[in-house]
Amino acid sequence: MSAAPASTLQVGDGGAGIPRHVAIIMDGNGRWAKARHLPRVAGHRKGAEAVRATIRAAGELGIEVLTLYAFSSENWRRPEEEVADLKGLLRHYLLAELDELAANGIRLRVIGDYSRFGPELTRMLEDAVARTAQNQSTTLVIALNYGSQGEIVRAAQALAEEVRAGTIDPASIDTAAIEARLDTADLPALDLLIRTSGEHRLSNFLLWQAAYAELLFVDTLWPDFGRDELFAAVADYGRRNRRFGGL
Ligand code: IPE
Ligand code: IPE
Ligand code: MG
């Protein structure tokens, strides 16, 4: 399926329009490499190019927030060499792309316990977030050592501490109180969650936030994803009728 350019993108009357917040489970790098008899890291490298194209296309579409699942809290189970390759790529990506992200008005944010990537990457990530904090175009959220269950556990611990300190009444804890303590606090609600590579699971990504998100599973492997695929995904979203339990 090829997508229409932004100016002619048909979102349909009464459809969902352009999503404010899109999240992507960027899956299939390894299979992309395997199909070409290349090492897995070649798939991750090509995947970084797909990230670049997707961020640009998100800007064109006027998507406010793009959240990308780059490394899960379960991905530490991979061989040490692959984890090292992924860390190296993240470092390389930040060094190579930060100027362009900043110049394009992109605001970077990180979710997940990224401190586990070590002091150098932690400092680089925090510098990048601080440097782009005032930017006004797309917010790019990178999920690093992110796991949704762990995120919810941390929110519960924070609330428990506040109850113990006497600053919050347990009876007053509502969905907003939990949302405010998630890593995604203050971001607009998740509208569209895309997973590439033909797998139909969430792999511990944005479980709370996906409560009413539209889900889209595509067979494209992440390294083959880009502008056309994002436009097609947004067009598909635009034809949907979101009901949120109502009629
Ligand atoms: C997604 O691609 C990238 C990360 C999880 C970091 P995979 O590496 O999971 O690729 P497949 O699923 O093995 O093809
Ligand atoms: C999900 O992909 C994590 C990221 C894309 C970063 P995985 O490849 O790790 O997911 P599973 O293991 O197939 O569920
Ligand atoms: Mg995978």
Side-chain angles (χ1 to χ4, degrees), residues 21-43:
H21 185 174
V22 176
I24 309 181
I25 302 173
M26 310 185 287
D27 198 14
N29 295 352
R31 279 162 282 169
W32 183 93
K34 192 173 180 201
R36 287 161 182 77
H37 308 286
L38 294 169
R40 290 179 59 85
V41 67

Side-chain angles (χ1 to χ4, degrees), residues 54-108:
T54 303
I55 294 169
R56 236 179 277 129
E60 270 183 71
L61 283 162
I63 292 167
E64 283 172 52
V65 181
L66 177 67
T67 299
L68 300 177
Y69 204 7
F71 194 93
S72 77
S73 50
E74 286 71 38
N75 284 147
W76 299 105
R77 294 176 187 155
R78 294 188 179 200
E80 224 172 279
E81 190 192 330
E82 175 152 349
V83 171
D85 284 340
L86 287 166
K87 270 197 212 172
L89 266 175
L90 174 62
R91 187 174 177 280
H92 178 82
Y93 182 86
L94 283 171
L95 289 171
E97 298 296 317
L98 183 58
D99 285 346
E100 193 186 328
L101 292 177
N104 290 333
I106 291 174
R107 185 165 69 119
L108 186 73

Side-chain angles (χ1 to χ4, degrees), residues 163-215:
V163 167
R164 181 162 65 180
T167 53
I168 191 167
D169 172 6
S172 74
I173 296 173
D174 54 10
T175 52
I178 293 174
E179 262 158 21
R181 288 158 184 84
L182 296 175
D183 295 355
T184 51
D186 307 323
L187 293 175
L190 181 61
D191 295 310
L192 174 61
L193 174 59
I194 304 169
R195 183 174 190 141
T196 60
S197 88
E199 306 293 351
H200 299 112
R201 55 178 171 268
L202 298 181
S203 301
N204 203 13
F205 191 47
L206 302 178
L207 303 180
W208 173 287
Q209 295 85 346
Y212 266 104
E214 294 296 322
L215 308 181

